[in-house]
Amino acid sequence: MAVFDFKRLNRLRMIYRIVQTMLVALLFYTALNFQHHFALKGRPDQFIKSVLVALIMQLIFIFPVYKLACSDAGIELDGSVSGLSAEQLSVLRKKRMLGDLWKLCAVAFFIVFVFLAPSADKASGVSMVLAGILFSFLLTCLMYFQCFNFSAKKRMKSL
């Protein structure tokens, strides 16, 4: 029977909880700023539309983000077994790097989307799209951390 050392995984879960708290605060702050911005422009309905865009994007991203978070939690759990060989550690490192590559691709998608959007001065609906993308990015990051913590806790209890 394998002996597990959850010290690293528990630290990672604690860090993710702190990051989640900061993301919720950032989401709240940006939502208030965008709501104020849209109210000054006389278009408060655009704020609601941007929130709806973010929610629709969340529905699209929920399954891939959940699968990635569960996979990453499984890799971290496999890495918490004491007495792993160098070959096993190499395989786990490659799996971690693949997961990190997927996360980097997701962040790059949001960054490229924002930078390729035209200026808010040129089109009236750009602010709404940018707000929706920013909300979706923050919610996607928040969802990843929540799914990771949920999956890791569930797997730790089953062992």
Side-chain angles (χ1 to χ4, degrees):
M1 178 151 191
V3 177
F4 291 93
D5 181 20
F6 295 130
K7 187 176 182 180
R8 181 174 188 265
L9 188 58
N10 284 330
R11 276 192 215 143
L12 191 61
R13 289 181 57 225
M14 178 60 72
I15 291 168
Y16 282 0
R17 280 189 219 118
I18 293 167
V19 170
Q20 286 178 52
T21 304
M22 292 175 10
L23 282 173
V24 168
L26 183 61
L27 183 65
F28 184 69
Y29 176 75
T30 56
L32 286 177
N33 279 341
F34 273 112
Q35 186 179 24
H36 179 71
H37 171 73
F38 290 134
L40 287 178
K41 287 174 56 177
R43 304 282 308 203
D45 59 314
Q46 285 187 342
F47 176 74
I48 299 298
K49 289 179 184 176
S50 65
V51 170
L52 290 176
V53 165
L55 290 176
I56 290 170
M57 288 185 74
Q58 285 308 106
L59 290 175
I60 294 169
F61 291 148
I62 193 165
F63 184 72
V65 169
Y66 177 75
K67 292 297 279 184
L68 179 64
C70 287
S71 171
D72 287 349
I75 292 168
E76 290 300 324
L77 194 66
D78 291 343
S80 66
V81 175
S82 41
L84 292 175
S85 68
E87 183 178 309
Q88 291 170 326
L89 289 173
S90 175
V91 168
L92 287 173
R93 186 175 27 245
K94 287 179 184 176
K95 288 181 180 179
R96 281 188 189 112
M97 287 178 66
L98 183 63
D100 290 343
L101 181 65
W102 278 110
K103 290 179 266 191
L104 179 68
C105 288
V107 170
F109 164 75
F110 284 108
I111 290 172
V112 167
F113 195 89
V114 168
F115 279 119
L116 290 179
S119 173
D121 300 333
K122 295 180 182 176
S124 63
V126 172
S127 295
M128 179 188 70
V129 172
L130 290 175
I133 292 297
L134 183 60
F135 294 154
S136 180
F137 174 72
L138 292 172
L139 288 171
T140 301
C141 292
L142 188 62
M143 181 173 51
Y144 171 80
F145 294 128
Q146 287 177 339
C147 290
F148 181 92
N149 281 344
F150 172 77
S151 179
K153 183 178 178 181
K154 182 178 172 183
R155 290 180 186 198
M156 286 169 57
K157 281 187 177 181
S158 69
L159 297 175

